[in-house]
């Protein structure tokens, strides 16, 4: 049975009188792919902001359970949360387009080096092995390509690999297949199914076909609250979910 890796407890967020989240309780289990879905403005991206420390909750706590420990993330600086093994990828790829794929990976290593020293110093054998995470995203044969020469999907996969090289326990992804065609979307799903063997994957997404492809658990958000949580078959079969979200076509490309 999977262990809990994240726990969001009674999370509420109020922005200038607007209730973005109200009493949200969610448990995320280790080595699963857990989706947050819901209509535009439901609070999905705010949940990721709360987990990574970008936004502080008005009430409630986020707890993290690496290796059997219990750590309260609420109130921590973002860089400290990253250091504990929680990485985040935003919707728009943020790779260094004038550097090679390999150099991008070097810069992502948690080795305390600056940009210049990372580029010009030789990686250790351990670092080389970690950079081989590129193989998981099928970019090892393009390690000498510059970022600017990669296709949109390849940039997304490189950024995922840049998270993996840091050996996170949890990665947070914001609409990772936005702008992708069906072949790239399918490949992204296959990559993430491999990744979940190494770490937990939490995804905000609007593309229901993608959710159906790889979801282990789905939390449906509506007006800042948890509307329903369960496996994808339960979600798809729920009349309330169909009415408030799926009935509108899933808002495939809407932004939160």
């Amino acid at each position: 049975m999977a262990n809990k890796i994240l726990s969001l407890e009674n999370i509420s967020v109020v922005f200038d009188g607007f209730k973005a989240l109200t009493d949200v309780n969610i448990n995320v289990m280790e080595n699963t792919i857990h989706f947050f879905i819901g209509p535009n403005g439901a609070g999905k991206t705010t949940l990721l902001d709360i987990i990574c420390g970008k936004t502080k909750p008005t009430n409630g706590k986020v707890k993290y359970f690496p290796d059997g420990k219990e750590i309260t993330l609420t109130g921590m600086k973002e860089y400290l949360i990253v250091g504990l093994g929680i990485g985040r990828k935003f919707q728009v790829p943020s790779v260094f387009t004038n550097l090679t794929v390999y150099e991008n990976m070097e810069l992502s290593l948690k080795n305390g080096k600056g940009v210049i020293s990372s580029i010009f110093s030789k990686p250790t054998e351990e670092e080389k092995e970690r950079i081989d995470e590129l193989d998981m995203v099928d970019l090892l044969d393009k390690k000498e390509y510059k970022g600017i020469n990669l296709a949109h999907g390849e940039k997304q996969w490189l950024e995922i690999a840049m998270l993996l090289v840091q050996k996170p326990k949890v990665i947070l992804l914001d609409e990772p297949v936005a702008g992708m065609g069906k072949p790239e979307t399918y490949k992204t799903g296959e990559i993430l199914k491999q990744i979940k063997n190494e770490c937990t994957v939490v995804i905000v997404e609007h593309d229901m076909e993608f959710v159906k492809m790889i979801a282990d658990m789905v939390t449906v958000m509506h007006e800042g609250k948890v509307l329903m949580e369960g496996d994808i078959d339960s979600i798809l079969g729920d009349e309330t979910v169909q009415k408030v979200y799926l009935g509108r076509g899933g808002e495939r490309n809407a932004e939160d």
Side-chain angles (χ1 to χ4, degrees):
M1 185 175 178
N3 296 316
K4 184 167 56 177
I5 188 70
L6 283 174
S7 179
L8 284 68
E9 301 179 357
N10 302 311
I11 297 293
S12 294
V13 178
V14 180
F15 296 123
D16 297 324
F18 171 71
K19 294 181 179 180
L21 294 171
T22 304
D23 294 327
V24 172
N25 289 278
I26 300 172
N27 289 322
V28 177
M29 311 307 287
E30 280 185 329
N31 301 112
T32 61
I33 299 176
H34 192 130
F35 280 90
F36 297 156
I37 70 170
N40 185 32
K44 307 178 298 298
T45 297
T46 302
L47 284 176
L48 296 193
D49 291 343
I50 291 290
I51 293 170
C52 74
K54 183 179 179 182
T55 297
K56 301 294 186 288
T58 306
N59 292 298
K61 293 181 179 179
V62 177
K63 293 183 179 179
Y64 174 47
F65 303 91
D67 304 316
K69 303 173 186 175
E70 180 180 312
I71 301 171
T72 298
L73 300 181
T74 308
M76 276 192 183
K77 299 288 187 182
E78 290 181 69
Y79 75 92
L80 293 174
I81 293 175
V82 170
L84 289 171
I86 298 178
R88 180 170 182 183
K89 180 195 171 312
F90 293 87
Q91 182 176 340
V92 178
S94 58
V95 303
F96 293 93
T97 55
N98 289 322
L99 299 181
T100 67
V101 168
Y102 193 87
E103 288 167 343
N104 271 278
M105 293 291 282
E106 285 186 280
L107 288 176
S108 295
L109 288 167
K110 293 193 295 184
N111 53 18
K113 297 177 183 177
V115 172
I116 300 300
S117 60
S118 293
I119 294 173
F120 290 103
S121 62
K122 293 183 178 180
T124 65
E125 288 304 312
E126 180 186 354
E127 288 170 347
K128 288 179 180 178
E129 289 179 8
R130 290 165 70 183
I131 289 173
D132 283 347
E133 293 285 1
L134 283 168
D135 194 36
M136 184 176 288
V137 298
D138 201 24
L139 287 177
L140 196 56
D141 63 342
K142 293 188 176 182
K143 65 182 181 181
E144 300 305 325
Y145 282 46
K146 285 195 173 183
I148 198 169
N149 295 322
L150 297 177
H152 172 70
E154 291 173 331
K155 288 177 183 175
Q156 300 280 24
W157 303 331
L158 172 56
E159 194 167 6
I160 290 172
M162 289 166 66
L163 288 177
L164 292 179
V165 79
Q166 300 173 34
K167 298 296 181 187
K169 295 186 180 297
V170 179
I171 60 172
L172 311 174
L173 306 177
D174 199 341
E175 296 191 55
V177 297
M180 290 187 185
K182 285 186 177 181
E184 287 183 318
T185 296
Y186 177 81
K187 185 170 180 177
T188 302
E190 293 302 302
I191 288 169
L192 294 178
K193 284 193 285 187
Q194 289 185 68
I195 288 171
K196 80 168 185 177
N197 295 319
E198 297 188 5
C199 67
T200 303
V201 183
V202 179
I203 307 174
V204 163
E205 190 52 73
H206 287 282
D207 187 333
M208 285 305 300
E209 291 303 314
F210 182 60
V211 176
K212 286 190 283 185
M213 186 191 308
I214 64 170
D216 293 311
M217 182 62 64
V218 181
T219 299
V220 184
M221 300 294 298
H222 182 56
E223 297 180 347
K225 299 178 181 179
V226 175
L227 179 67
M228 184 181 177
E229 189 170 80
D231 59 50
I232 187 62
D233 291 334
S234 300
I235 296 299
L236 292 174
D238 186 82
E239 290 184 6
T240 304
V241 173
Q242 291 173 7
K243 183 183 298 183
V244 303
Y245 179 50
L246 300 178
R248 303 190 228 175
E251 297 188 29
R252 176 183 170 114
N253 294 313
E255 293 183 3
D256 202 1

